Amino acid sequence: MRTLRFLLEKEFRQIFRNPAILRLIFVMPAVQLILLPMAADYEVKNVEIAIVDQDHSPMSRELIAKIDGSQYFELTEYSDSYEKSLETVELDKADLVLQIPPNFEKNLIKENESTLFIAVNAINGVKANLGNAYLANLIRQYNMEVRLEWMQLPKFNPFPMIEITHSNWYNPFVSYPLFMVPGILTILLTMVGGFLAALNIVREKEIGTIEQLNVTPIKKYHLILGKMIPFWLLGFVVLTIGFLISYLIYGIVPVGSLVTIYVFAALYLFGILGFGLFISTLVETQQQAMLFGFFFMLIFILMSGLYTPIESMPDWARLIAELNPVTYFVEVMRMVVLKGSTLHDITRHLVITGVFAIFLNGIAIWNYRKRG
Amino acid sequence: MEENTVIKVKNLTKQFGAFTAVDGISFEVKKGEIFGFLGANGAGKTTAMRMLTGLSYPTAGEATIAGFDIYRDTEKIKQEIGYMSQKFSLYEDLTVGENIRFYGGIYGLSDELLETRTEAILKNLELENERKTLVASLPLGWKQKLAFSVAVLHRPQIVFLDEPTGGVDPITRRKFWELIYQSAEEGITIFVTTHYMDEAEYCDRVSIMVDGRIDALDTPAQLKVQLDAVDMDEVFLKLARKATRADG
């Protein structure tokens, strides 16, 4: 125990003397939590639309006013030439072009039918598709209004219609930060646990002090614990800072108990530290450790359901996601923060993460040889 | 064997695949002796030393360090030895005092002992005012002297020094050897590798390794007589020239 005390004392001294690590611990959560949810936003607002009005009728103006009044669209061009509108698309000033053909109103009144044309700038596919869907929806609504106005309503509606209404559970306003922030916290923790610990050990290899330690009577498990505990604690610091930031900036307060999250994080950090330890046994230099870490972080992030739902992945990718410890942390975070899940609800995640922790630490210790 | 034999090595061998780095070496070192372990680069010195300090498993042969078997009692050996590697092994981002405290602490020294020994080291090295100085900002010669003092901090029976004076000037090396003599007088056995032949002259006995084997082992004076050489430089050249192994 006394040995461990000296190891920890030394480790903390070194960490707090290293301005780069301190900056990483405090600045990284702030920057990532502020930037990522705002930048990587799936919600499409301000779709830029160019409208070609060749009809100039009261009805066309009514439709345009409706589009312009919607929060999703921004009218950037209003003309009567389709070619001119396409130019704005080419200049990237418009995502959509809506063409209202001549005689739009006349045809609608006379023949009960009229055509509109939508051209989509599909370079940004997500924005284009969503913009298209919003616009189609708006036009359908407008269509309904026109029909209601014109039709003499019979007692029974001759056209039975199913209207879908929906409500969003757990995230009623479909707020993107509320969805992303808990996920980003998991990545931060993974970086601190996996990355920093691995780099720290490899650094001692590089400067040769690990060999000096290996000729001392230090026990293997003391050395490993001495390396793990500081970064385990740092993980909690980062998590706490992360929650503070997400409260201050996004007003996110977990619906569930923080205790549930911290209990899971404790187990998760233990596992991911084992992973860092394992990497450190595989490499000789910090450069190699960085490259290894980078490789795994990319897989961890992209295959964790953080950005893209696992359910829509092909089977083989889903398998990788299921073998990815981050997946479970992302799920737990979202479950607890958004739904208020309890420890009982995340039993499965706890068990799987426990297995990961035992496995990762097992191979790390097995691979960490004191004598070559 | 006599009671005061602290290192006993018999046919110690280390193979890496088909390559025999250390080829059945045998020797004994007595308590309090300064034993020079010489050889050209790649002759197998460091490999031999790593086996004796428990960093590497021998392929064959036997050895006891301070009476403990190097296969079975590595953990006991570790308490009895000190080690200073050619890679400088103090923590640059810790202060002089913190380094002493850390290494003393993991060898199990009590707080009182840590304090008295820290003061003794600082006084001996004339570093009293540098206790709170980061090791990174010390000159190399001071770092090496400090590293040596830390290696014998727990009063080991034997201290292994792997090229401890690489890269420093002759005056600093001379001062470093004064420290070595000091420890030898206190009864600590010194096992040292070096490339400097003037340092070999300071040793009580010297072994010279060539291609993984020990080709000569005697006092510097005797070696000079045996090989008809004026100084250790010539002794070394005459033996090392026989090497067939490439440098490395």
Side-chain angles (χ1 to χ4, degrees), chain A residues 2 9-10 13-14 17 203-204 206-207 209 211-218 371-372, chain B residues 50 54-55 57 74 78-79 83 87-89 91 93-94 98 101-103 107 109:
Chain A
R2 203 173 135 80
E9 189 183 297
K10 168 215 150 223
R13 280 214 170 98
Q14 289 181 306
R17 210 162 272 166
R203 184 162 160 266
E204 291 225 22
E206 255 180 17
I207 57 178
T209 43
E211 194 160 283
Q212 190 71 41
L213 293 180
N214 282 343
V215 296
T216 69
I218 291 186
R371 314 211 319 176
Chain B
R50 286 174 61 86
L55 287 170
Y57 267 115
T74 42
K78 281 174 178 163
Q79 192 65 47
Y83 175 67
K87 267 192 182 175
F88 176 71
S89 51
Y91 291 95
D93 51 356
L94 293 181
E98 286 163 358
R101 180 178 161 75
F102 171 66
Y103 279 111
Y107 276 106
L109 300 191

mmCIF file of all heavy atoms in Angstrom, chain A residues 2 9-10 13-14 17 203-204 206-207 209 211-218 371-372, chain B residues 50 54-55 57 74 78-79 83 87-89 91 93-94 98 101-103 107 109:
data_model
loop_
_atom_site.group_PDB
_atom_site.id
_atom_site.type_symbol
_atom_site.label_atom_id
_atom_site.label_comp_id
_atom_site.label_asym_id
_atom_site.label_seq_id
_atom_site.Cartn_x
_atom_site.Cartn_y
_atom_site.Cartn_z
ATOM 1 N N ARG A 2 1.958 1.177 0.795
ATOM 2 C CA ARG A 2 2.853 2.331 0.873
ATOM 3 C C ARG A 2 3.495 2.578 -0.487
ATOM 4 O O ARG A 2 3.610 3.727 -0.936
ATOM 5 C CB ARG A 2 3.922 2.050 1.921
ATOM 6 C CG ARG A 2 4.549 3.279 2.501
ATOM 7 C CD ARG A 2 5.481 2.909 3.649
ATOM 8 N NE ARG A 2 6.740 3.633 3.539
ATOM 9 C CZ ARG A 2 6.881 4.895 3.929
ATOM 10 N NH1 ARG A 2 5.865 5.544 4.427
ATOM 11 N NH2 ARG A 2 8.046 5.523 3.808
ATOM 12 N N GLU A 9 1.586 9.470 -5.727
ATOM 13 C CA GLU A 9 2.102 10.801 -5.449
ATOM 14 C C GLU A 9 2.921 11.299 -6.639
ATOM 15 O O GLU A 9 2.740 12.417 -7.117
ATOM 16 C CB GLU A 9 2.985 10.693 -4.198
ATOM 17 C CG GLU A 9 3.445 12.006 -3.628
ATOM 18 C CD GLU A 9 4.376 11.768 -2.439
ATOM 19 O OE1 GLU A 9 3.915 11.198 -1.436
ATOM 20 O OE2 GLU A 9 5.561 12.123 -2.537
ATOM 21 N N LYS A 10 3.772 10.422 -7.132
ATOM 22 C CA LYS A 10 4.635 10.774 -8.268
ATOM 23 C C LYS A 10 3.796 11.055 -9.509
ATOM 24 O O LYS A 10 4.002 12.041 -10.210
ATOM 25 C CB LYS A 10 5.587 9.603 -8.530
ATOM 26 C CG LYS A 10 6.333 9.695 -9.822
ATOM 27 C CD LYS A 10 6.534 8.313 -10.422
ATOM 28 C CE LYS A 10 6.579 8.368 -11.911
ATOM 29 N NZ LYS A 10 5.863 7.349 -12.596
ATOM 30 N N ARG A 13 1.951 14.368 -9.262
ATOM 31 C CA ARG A 13 2.885 15.478 -9.419
ATOM 32 C C ARG A 13 3.171 15.714 -10.889
ATOM 33 O O ARG A 13 3.156 16.834 -11.367
ATOM 34 C CB ARG A 13 4.208 15.140 -8.719
ATOM 35 C CG ARG A 13 4.158 15.361 -7.246
ATOM 36 C CD ARG A 13 5.526 15.841 -6.741
ATOM 37 N NE ARG A 13 5.398 16.277 -5.370
ATOM 38 C CZ ARG A 13 5.715 15.513 -4.319
ATOM 39 N NH1 ARG A 13 6.217 14.318 -4.502
ATOM 40 N NH2 ARG A 13 5.565 15.980 -3.102
ATOM 41 N N GLN A 14 3.422 14.597 -11.609
ATOM 42 C CA GLN A 14 3.786 14.746 -13.017
ATOM 43 C C GLN A 14 2.621 15.272 -13.838
ATOM 44 O O GLN A 14 2.796 16.099 -14.720
ATOM 45 C CB GLN A 14 4.259 13.403 -13.578
ATOM 46 C CG GLN A 14 5.611 13.009 -13.031
ATOM 47 C CD GLN A 14 6.095 11.702 -13.605
ATOM 48 O OE1 GLN A 14 5.400 10.697 -13.548
ATOM 49 N NE2 GLN A 14 7.269 11.709 -14.191
ATOM 50 N N ARG A 17 2.056 18.872 -13.246
ATOM 51 C CA ARG A 17 3.157 19.705 -13.697
ATOM 52 C C ARG A 17 3.172 19.811 -15.220
ATOM 53 O O ARG A 17 3.950 20.545 -15.788
ATOM 54 C CB ARG A 17 4.465 19.096 -13.197
ATOM 55 C CG ARG A 17 5.528 20.105 -12.938
ATOM 56 C CD ARG A 17 6.610 19.531 -12.064
ATOM 57 N NE ARG A 17 6.331 19.701 -10.641
ATOM 58 C CZ ARG A 17 6.983 19.054 -9.695
ATOM 59 N NH1 ARG A 17 7.920 18.189 -10.009
ATOM 60 N NH2 ARG A 17 6.702 19.261 -8.432
ATOM 61 N N ARG A 203 5.486 6.690 -22.542
ATOM 62 C CA ARG A 203 6.477 7.729 -22.311
ATOM 63 C C ARG A 203 7.558 7.208 -21.353
ATOM 64 O O ARG A 203 8.747 7.429 -21.559
ATOM 65 C CB ARG A 203 5.798 8.960 -21.717
ATOM 66 C CG ARG A 203 6.736 10.104 -21.529
ATOM 67 C CD ARG A 203 6.019 11.417 -21.362
ATOM 68 N NE ARG A 203 6.933 12.356 -20.737
ATOM 69 C CZ ARG A 203 6.990 12.560 -19.431
ATOM 70 N NH1 ARG A 203 6.174 11.913 -18.628
ATOM 71 N NH2 ARG A 203 7.848 13.404 -18.924
ATOM 72 N N GLU A 204 7.137 6.486 -20.331
ATOM 73 C CA GLU A 204 8.133 5.935 -19.401
ATOM 74 C C GLU A 204 9.005 4.887 -20.085
ATOM 75 O O GLU A 204 10.165 4.723 -19.748
ATOM 76 C CB GLU A 204 7.432 5.322 -18.174
ATOM 77 C CG GLU A 204 6.801 6.374 -17.295
ATOM 78 C CD GLU A 204 7.082 6.137 -15.814
ATOM 79 O OE1 GLU A 204 8.067 5.452 -15.493
ATOM 80 O OE2 GLU A 204 6.312 6.641 -14.988
ATOM 81 N N GLU A 206 9.811 5.073 -23.261
ATOM 82 C CA GLU A 206 10.703 5.842 -24.123
ATOM 83 C C GLU A 206 11.871 6.413 -23.356
ATOM 84 O O GLU A 206 13.012 6.348 -23.799
ATOM 85 C CB GLU A 206 9.930 6.986 -24.780
ATOM 86 C CG GLU A 206 9.625 6.737 -26.227
ATOM 87 C CD GLU A 206 8.866 7.897 -26.836
ATOM 88 O OE1 GLU A 206 8.846 9.009 -26.269
ATOM 89 O OE2 GLU A 206 8.275 7.693 -27.888
ATOM 90 N N ILE A 207 11.618 7.015 -22.193
ATOM 91 C CA ILE A 207 12.718 7.651 -21.478
ATOM 92 C C ILE A 207 13.491 6.646 -20.629
ATOM 93 O O ILE A 207 14.531 6.977 -20.089
ATOM 94 C CB ILE A 207 12.246 8.839 -20.610
ATOM 95 C CG1 ILE A 207 11.187 8.401 -19.609
ATOM 96 C CG2 ILE A 207 11.708 9.947 -21.475
ATOM 97 C CD1 ILE A 207 10.732 9.528 -18.713
ATOM 98 N N THR A 209 12.601 4.984 -17.883
ATOM 99 C CA THR A 209 12.342 4.853 -16.450
ATOM 100 C C THR A 209 11.577 3.571 -16.121
ATOM 101 O O THR A 209 11.677 3.069 -15.010
ATOM 102 C CB THR A 209 11.541 6.054 -15.926
ATOM 103 O OG1 THR A 209 10.521 6.364 -16.858
ATOM 104 C CG2 THR A 209 12.428 7.248 -15.736
ATOM 105 N N GLU A 211 12.226 0.706 -17.135
ATOM 106 C CA GLU A 211 13.218 -0.333 -16.853
ATOM 107 C C GLU A 211 13.767 -0.171 -15.441
ATOM 108 O O GLU A 211 13.980 -1.135 -14.718
ATOM 109 C CB GLU A 211 14.338 -0.235 -17.883
ATOM 110 C CG GLU A 211 15.218 -1.454 -17.873
ATOM 111 C CD GLU A 211 15.991 -1.575 -19.152
ATOM 112 O OE1 GLU A 211 15.385 -1.997 -20.157
ATOM 113 O OE2 GLU A 211 17.190 -1.255 -19.158
ATOM 114 N N GLN A 212 13.967 1.098 -15.082
ATOM 115 C CA GLN A 212 14.430 1.368 -13.728
ATOM 116 C C GLN A 212 13.411 0.837 -12.708
ATOM 117 O O GLN A 212 13.777 0.241 -11.706
ATOM 118 C CB GLN A 212 14.609 2.887 -13.558
ATOM 119 C CG GLN A 212 15.303 3.286 -12.290
ATOM 120 C CD GLN A 212 16.783 2.919 -12.314
ATOM 121 O OE1 GLN A 212 17.443 3.080 -13.320
ATOM 122 N NE2 GLN A 212 17.281 2.409 -11.204
ATOM 123 N N LEU A 213 12.124 1.045 -13.024
ATOM 124 C CA LEU A 213 11.084 0.559 -12.108
ATOM 125 C C LEU A 213 11.079 -0.963 -12.059
ATOM 126 O O LEU A 213 10.804 -1.567 -11.025
ATOM 127 C CB LEU A 213 9.710 1.069 -12.534
ATOM 128 C CG LEU A 213 9.486 2.579 -12.422
ATOM 129 C CD1 LEU A 213 8.091 2.944 -12.872
ATOM 130 C CD2 LEU A 213 9.727 3.057 -11.001
ATOM 131 N N ASN A 214 11.389 -1.574 -13.206
ATOM 132 C CA ASN A 214 11.333 -3.032 -13.264
ATOM 133 C C ASN A 214 12.433 -3.714 -12.459
ATOM 134 O O ASN A 214 12.317 -4.883 -12.126
ATOM 135 C CB ASN A 214 11.396 -3.512 -14.720
ATOM 136 C CG ASN A 214 10.058 -3.349 -15.404
ATOM 137 O OD1 ASN A 214 9.034 -3.185 -14.751
ATOM 138 N ND2 ASN A 214 10.068 -3.387 -16.713
ATOM 139 N N VAL A 215 13.539 -3.007 -12.150
ATOM 140 C CA VAL A 215 14.550 -3.622 -11.295
ATOM 141 C C VAL A 215 14.274 -3.349 -9.825
ATOM 142 O O VAL A 215 14.972 -3.859 -8.962
ATOM 143 C CB VAL A 215 15.990 -3.166 -11.636
ATOM 144 C CG1 VAL A 215 16.390 -3.609 -13.016
ATOM 145 C CG2 VAL A 215 16.145 -1.678 -11.474
ATOM 146 N N THR A 216 13.269 -2.526 -9.551
ATOM 147 C CA THR A 216 12.911 -2.297 -8.147
ATOM 148 C C THR A 216 11.938 -3.387 -7.697
ATOM 149 O O THR A 216 11.365 -4.084 -8.534
ATOM 150 C CB THR A 216 12.227 -0.930 -7.952
ATOM 151 O OG1 THR A 216 10.949 -0.985 -8.569
ATOM 152 C CG2 THR A 216 13.041 0.193 -8.547
ATOM 153 N N PRO A 217 11.752 -3.525 -6.388
ATOM 154 C CA PRO A 217 10.858 -4.603 -5.920
ATOM 155 C C PRO A 217 9.368 -4.271 -6.096
ATOM 156 O O PRO A 217 8.541 -4.961 -5.530
ATOM 157 C CB PRO A 217 11.185 -4.714 -4.425
ATOM 158 C CG PRO A 217 12.282 -3.768 -4.138
ATOM 159 C CD PRO A 217 12.422 -2.849 -5.274
ATOM 160 N N ILE A 218 9.040 -3.253 -6.892
ATOM 161 C CA ILE A 218 7.622 -2.917 -7.116
ATOM 162 C C ILE A 218 6.895 -4.126 -7.691
ATOM 163 O O ILE A 218 7.374 -4.779 -8.605
ATOM 164 C CB ILE A 218 7.488 -1.763 -8.123
ATOM 165 C CG1 ILE A 218 7.991 -0.468 -7.532
ATOM 166 C CG2 ILE A 218 6.040 -1.580 -8.554
ATOM 167 C CD1 ILE A 218 7.759 0.725 -8.426
ATOM 168 N N ARG A 371 9.624 -9.270 -17.458
ATOM 169 C CA ARG A 371 10.913 -9.764 -17.952
ATOM 170 C C ARG A 371 10.748 -10.258 -19.374
ATOM 171 O O ARG A 371 9.768 -10.884 -19.718
ATOM 172 C CB ARG A 371 11.416 -10.935 -17.094
ATOM 173 C CG ARG A 371 11.281 -10.641 -15.638
ATOM 174 C CD ARG A 371 12.304 -11.279 -14.789
ATOM 175 N NE ARG A 371 12.661 -12.652 -15.117
ATOM 176 C CZ ARG A 371 13.632 -13.280 -14.466
ATOM 177 N NH1 ARG A 371 14.285 -12.677 -13.537
ATOM 178 N NH2 ARG A 371 13.921 -14.523 -14.772
ATOM 179 N N GLY A 372 11.701 -9.943 -20.224
ATOM 180 C CA GLY A 372 11.607 -10.355 -21.631
ATOM 181 C C GLY A 372 12.422 -11.584 -21.889
ATOM 182 O O GLY A 372 13.172 -12.037 -21.067
ATOM 183 N N ARG B 50 21.428 -7.441 -17.923
ATOM 184 C CA ARG B 50 19.964 -7.510 -17.808
ATOM 185 C C ARG B 50 19.516 -8.836 -17.187
ATOM 186 O O ARG B 50 18.534 -8.887 -16.461
ATOM 187 C CB ARG B 50 19.307 -7.319 -19.175
ATOM 188 C CG ARG B 50 19.365 -5.868 -19.663
ATOM 189 C CD ARG B 50 18.833 -5.749 -21.084
ATOM 190 N NE ARG B 50 17.434 -6.170 -21.177
ATOM 191 C CZ ARG B 50 16.405 -5.372 -20.936
ATOM 192 N NH1 ARG B 50 16.621 -4.122 -20.597
ATOM 193 N NH2 ARG B 50 15.169 -5.820 -21.033
ATOM 194 N N GLY B 54 17.593 -9.289 -13.392
ATOM 195 C CA GLY B 54 16.228 -9.799 -13.424
ATOM 196 C C GLY B 54 15.362 -9.181 -14.494
ATOM 197 O O GLY B 54 14.146 -9.354 -14.505
ATOM 198 N N LEU B 55 15.948 -8.448 -15.432
ATOM 199 C CA LEU B 55 15.150 -7.849 -16.503
ATOM 200 C C LEU B 55 14.935 -8.823 -17.645
ATOM 201 O O LEU B 55 14.075 -8.619 -18.492
ATOM 202 C CB LEU B 55 15.835 -6.586 -17.041
ATOM 203 C CG LEU B 55 15.797 -5.355 -16.136
ATOM 204 C CD1 LEU B 55 16.707 -4.262 -16.679
ATOM 205 C CD2 LEU B 55 14.377 -4.833 -16.010
ATOM 206 N N TYR B 57 15.243 -13.195 -18.844
ATOM 207 C CA TYR B 57 15.447 -14.581 -18.432
ATOM 208 C C TYR B 57 16.636 -15.198 -19.173
ATOM 209 O O TYR B 57 16.725 -15.075 -20.378
ATOM 210 C CB TYR B 57 14.221 -15.431 -18.780
ATOM 211 C CG TYR B 57 13.222 -15.527 -17.661
ATOM 212 C CD1 TYR B 57 11.948 -14.989 -17.801
ATOM 213 C CD2 TYR B 57 13.548 -16.181 -16.475
ATOM 214 C CE1 TYR B 57 11.018 -15.078 -16.777
ATOM 215 C CE2 TYR B 57 12.630 -16.271 -15.443
ATOM 216 C CZ TYR B 57 11.366 -15.721 -15.599
ATOM 217 O OH TYR B 57 10.460 -15.807 -14.586
ATOM 218 N N THR B 74 13.864 -13.803 -8.014
ATOM 219 C CA THR B 74 14.075 -12.477 -8.604
ATOM 220 C C THR B 74 13.566 -11.361 -7.709
ATOM 221 O O THR B 74 14.191 -10.322 -7.603
ATOM 222 C CB THR B 74 13.372 -12.367 -9.971
ATOM 223 O OG1 THR B 74 12.098 -12.965 -9.868
ATOM 224 C CG2 THR B 74 14.177 -13.016 -11.053
ATOM 225 N N LYS B 78 15.800 -8.220 -6.214
ATOM 226 C CA LYS B 78 15.529 -6.811 -6.515
ATOM 227 C C LYS B 78 15.712 -5.895 -5.302
ATOM 228 O O LYS B 78 16.095 -4.745 -5.444
ATOM 229 C CB LYS B 78 14.117 -6.666 -7.086
ATOM 230 C CG LYS B 78 14.114 -7.079 -8.548
ATOM 231 C CD LYS B 78 12.767 -7.104 -9.165
ATOM 232 C CE LYS B 78 12.926 -7.484 -10.628
ATOM 233 N NZ LYS B 78 11.677 -7.916 -11.233
ATOM 234 N N GLN B 79 15.424 -6.427 -4.128
ATOM 235 C CA GLN B 79 15.592 -5.622 -2.932
ATOM 236 C C GLN B 79 17.078 -5.415 -2.630
ATOM 237 O O GLN B 79 17.448 -4.446 -1.971
ATOM 238 C CB GLN B 79 14.881 -6.310 -1.754
ATOM 239 C CG GLN B 79 14.716 -5.466 -0.512
ATOM 240 C CD GLN B 79 13.794 -4.266 -0.712
ATOM 241 O OE1 GLN B 79 12.710 -4.385 -1.270
ATOM 242 N NE2 GLN B 79 14.231 -3.099 -0.261
ATOM 243 N N TYR B 83 20.441 -0.300 -9.632
ATOM 244 C CA TYR B 83 20.712 -0.369 -11.065
ATOM 245 C C TYR B 83 20.671 1.022 -11.646
ATOM 246 O O TYR B 83 19.807 1.828 -11.327
ATOM 247 C CB TYR B 83 19.644 -1.252 -11.725
ATOM 248 C CG TYR B 83 19.705 -1.327 -13.236
ATOM 249 C CD1 TYR B 83 20.781 -1.934 -13.874
ATOM 250 C CD2 TYR B 83 18.681 -0.812 -14.019
ATOM 251 C CE1 TYR B 83 20.833 -2.020 -15.264
ATOM 252 C CE2 TYR B 83 18.711 -0.899 -15.403
ATOM 253 C CZ TYR B 83 19.797 -1.502 -16.020
ATOM 254 O OH TYR B 83 19.836 -1.592 -17.385
ATOM 255 N N LYS B 87 20.522 4.532 -20.228
ATOM 256 C CA LYS B 87 19.505 5.557 -20.424
ATOM 257 C C LYS B 87 19.337 6.232 -19.080
ATOM 258 O O LYS B 87 19.143 5.582 -18.069
ATOM 259 C CB LYS B 87 18.177 4.899 -20.820
ATOM 260 C CG LYS B 87 17.943 4.791 -22.306
ATOM 261 C CD LYS B 87 16.498 4.396 -22.514
ATOM 262 C CE LYS B 87 16.146 4.218 -23.957
ATOM 263 N NZ LYS B 87 14.775 3.716 -24.097
ATOM 264 N N PHE B 88 19.386 7.512 -19.068
ATOM 265 C CA PHE B 88 19.256 8.252 -17.827
ATOM 266 C C PHE B 88 17.873 8.006 -17.232
ATOM 267 O O PHE B 88 16.863 8.158 -17.893
ATOM 268 C CB PHE B 88 19.456 9.732 -18.120
ATOM 269 C CG PHE B 88 19.258 10.578 -16.937
ATOM 270 C CD1 PHE B 88 20.185 10.558 -15.921
ATOM 271 C CD2 PHE B 88 18.143 11.358 -16.810
ATOM 272 C CE1 PHE B 88 19.993 11.325 -14.808
ATOM 273 C CE2 PHE B 88 17.952 12.135 -15.697
ATOM 274 C CZ PHE B 88 18.883 12.122 -14.689
ATOM 275 N N SER B 89 17.814 7.600 -15.973
ATOM 276 C CA SER B 89 16.535 7.056 -15.504
ATOM 277 C C SER B 89 15.888 7.782 -14.333
ATOM 278 O O SER B 89 15.056 7.225 -13.655
ATOM 279 C CB SER B 89 16.732 5.599 -15.139
ATOM 280 O OG SER B 89 17.838 5.499 -14.290
ATOM 281 N N TYR B 91 13.349 10.983 -13.150
ATOM 282 C CA TYR B 91 12.240 11.698 -13.779
ATOM 283 C C TYR B 91 12.596 13.169 -13.927
ATOM 284 O O TYR B 91 12.788 13.864 -12.938
ATOM 285 C CB TYR B 91 10.961 11.536 -12.967
ATOM 286 C CG TYR B 91 10.436 10.132 -13.021
ATOM 287 C CD1 TYR B 91 10.739 9.214 -12.035
ATOM 288 C CD2 TYR B 91 9.660 9.720 -14.096
ATOM 289 C CE1 TYR B 91 10.279 7.916 -12.106
ATOM 290 C CE2 TYR B 91 9.184 8.430 -14.184
ATOM 291 C CZ TYR B 91 9.495 7.530 -13.177
ATOM 292 O OH TYR B 91 9.043 6.251 -13.260
ATOM 293 N N ASP B 93 10.808 15.568 -14.905
ATOM 294 C CA ASP B 93 9.774 16.527 -14.505
ATOM 295 C C ASP B 93 9.474 16.461 -13.004
ATOM 296 O O ASP B 93 8.473 16.996 -12.555
ATOM 297 C CB ASP B 93 8.496 16.335 -15.339
ATOM 298 C CG ASP B 93 8.030 14.888 -15.359
ATOM 299 O OD1 ASP B 93 8.736 14.026 -14.792
ATOM 300 O OD2 ASP B 93 6.962 14.628 -15.942
ATOM 301 N N LEU B 94 10.342 15.776 -12.264
ATOM 302 C CA LEU B 94 10.250 15.832 -10.805
ATOM 303 C C LEU B 94 11.501 16.552 -10.295
ATOM 304 O O LEU B 94 12.531 16.563 -10.960
ATOM 305 C CB LEU B 94 10.175 14.428 -10.207
ATOM 306 C CG LEU B 94 8.924 13.593 -10.502
ATOM 307 C CD1 LEU B 94 9.027 12.246 -9.803
ATOM 308 C CD2 LEU B 94 7.664 14.308 -10.077
ATOM 309 N N GLU B 98 12.081 15.176 -4.976
ATOM 310 C CA GLU B 98 10.969 14.273 -5.295
ATOM 311 C C GLU B 98 11.454 12.946 -5.887
ATOM 312 O O GLU B 98 10.905 11.882 -5.605
ATOM 313 C CB GLU B 98 10.006 14.953 -6.275
ATOM 314 C CG GLU B 98 9.155 16.036 -5.624
ATOM 315 C CD GLU B 98 8.513 16.976 -6.625
ATOM 316 O OE1 GLU B 98 8.743 16.815 -7.841
ATOM 317 O OE2 GLU B 98 7.799 17.893 -6.179
ATOM 318 N N ARG B 101 12.794 10.929 -3.032
ATOM 319 C CA ARG B 101 11.660 10.464 -2.231
ATOM 320 C C ARG B 101 10.939 9.299 -2.921
ATOM 321 O O ARG B 101 10.618 8.288 -2.308
ATOM 322 C CB ARG B 101 10.700 11.629 -2.012
ATOM 323 C CG ARG B 101 9.482 11.267 -1.202
ATOM 324 C CD ARG B 101 8.592 12.483 -0.980
ATOM 325 N NE ARG B 101 7.257 12.054 -0.623
ATOM 326 C CZ ARG B 101 6.935 11.567 0.572
ATOM 327 N NH1 ARG B 101 7.854 11.469 1.509
ATOM 328 N NH2 ARG B 101 5.702 11.169 0.816
ATOM 329 N N PHE B 102 10.723 9.450 -4.224
ATOM 330 C CA PHE B 102 9.997 8.404 -4.953
ATOM 331 C C PHE B 102 10.756 7.079 -4.937
ATOM 332 O O PHE B 102 10.222 6.042 -4.539
ATOM 333 C CB PHE B 102 9.734 8.850 -6.392
ATOM 334 C CG PHE B 102 9.183 7.754 -7.263
ATOM 335 C CD1 PHE B 102 7.911 7.235 -7.008
ATOM 336 C CD2 PHE B 102 9.921 7.227 -8.303
ATOM 337 C CE1 PHE B 102 7.396 6.219 -7.792
ATOM 338 C CE2 PHE B 102 9.405 6.203 -9.085
ATOM 339 C CZ PHE B 102 8.141 5.704 -8.824
ATOM 340 N N TYR B 103 12.031 7.123 -5.348
ATOM 341 C CA TYR B 103 12.767 5.858 -5.424
ATOM 342 C C TYR B 103 12.993 5.264 -4.037
ATOM 343 O O TYR B 103 12.924 4.044 -3.854
ATOM 344 C CB TYR B 103 14.088 6.044 -6.180
ATOM 345 C CG TYR B 103 13.886 6.018 -7.683
ATOM 346 C CD1 TYR B 103 14.056 7.149 -8.458
ATOM 347 C CD2 TYR B 103 13.489 4.845 -8.312
ATOM 348 C CE1 TYR B 103 13.862 7.124 -9.837
ATOM 349 C CE2 TYR B 103 13.284 4.805 -9.687
ATOM 350 C CZ TYR B 103 13.478 5.945 -10.440
ATOM 351 O OH TYR B 103 13.268 5.902 -11.790
ATOM 352 N N TYR B 107 11.324 1.565 -2.494
ATOM 353 C CA TYR B 107 12.157 0.519 -1.880
ATOM 354 C C TYR B 107 11.767 0.304 -0.427
ATOM 355 O O TYR B 107 12.390 -0.482 0.289
ATOM 356 C CB TYR B 107 13.645 0.879 -1.969
ATOM 357 C CG TYR B 107 14.265 0.488 -3.288
ATOM 358 C CD1 TYR B 107 14.577 1.436 -4.238
ATOM 359 C CD2 TYR B 107 14.526 -0.855 -3.580
ATOM 360 C CE1 TYR B 107 15.147 1.080 -5.454
ATOM 361 C CE2 TYR B 107 15.098 -1.219 -4.786
ATOM 362 C CZ TYR B 107 15.404 -0.256 -5.722
ATOM 363 O OH TYR B 107 15.957 -0.623 -6.914
ATOM 364 N N LEU B 109 11.659 2.571 2.180
ATOM 365 C CA LEU B 109 12.306 3.311 3.258
ATOM 366 C C LEU B 109 11.255 4.062 4.079
ATOM 367 O O LEU B 109 10.280 4.561 3.528
ATOM 368 C CB LEU B 109 13.315 4.326 2.693
ATOM 369 C CG LEU B 109 14.476 3.790 1.864
ATOM 370 C CD1 LEU B 109 15.497 4.893 1.622
ATOM 371 C CD2 LEU B 109 15.159 2.612 2.542
#
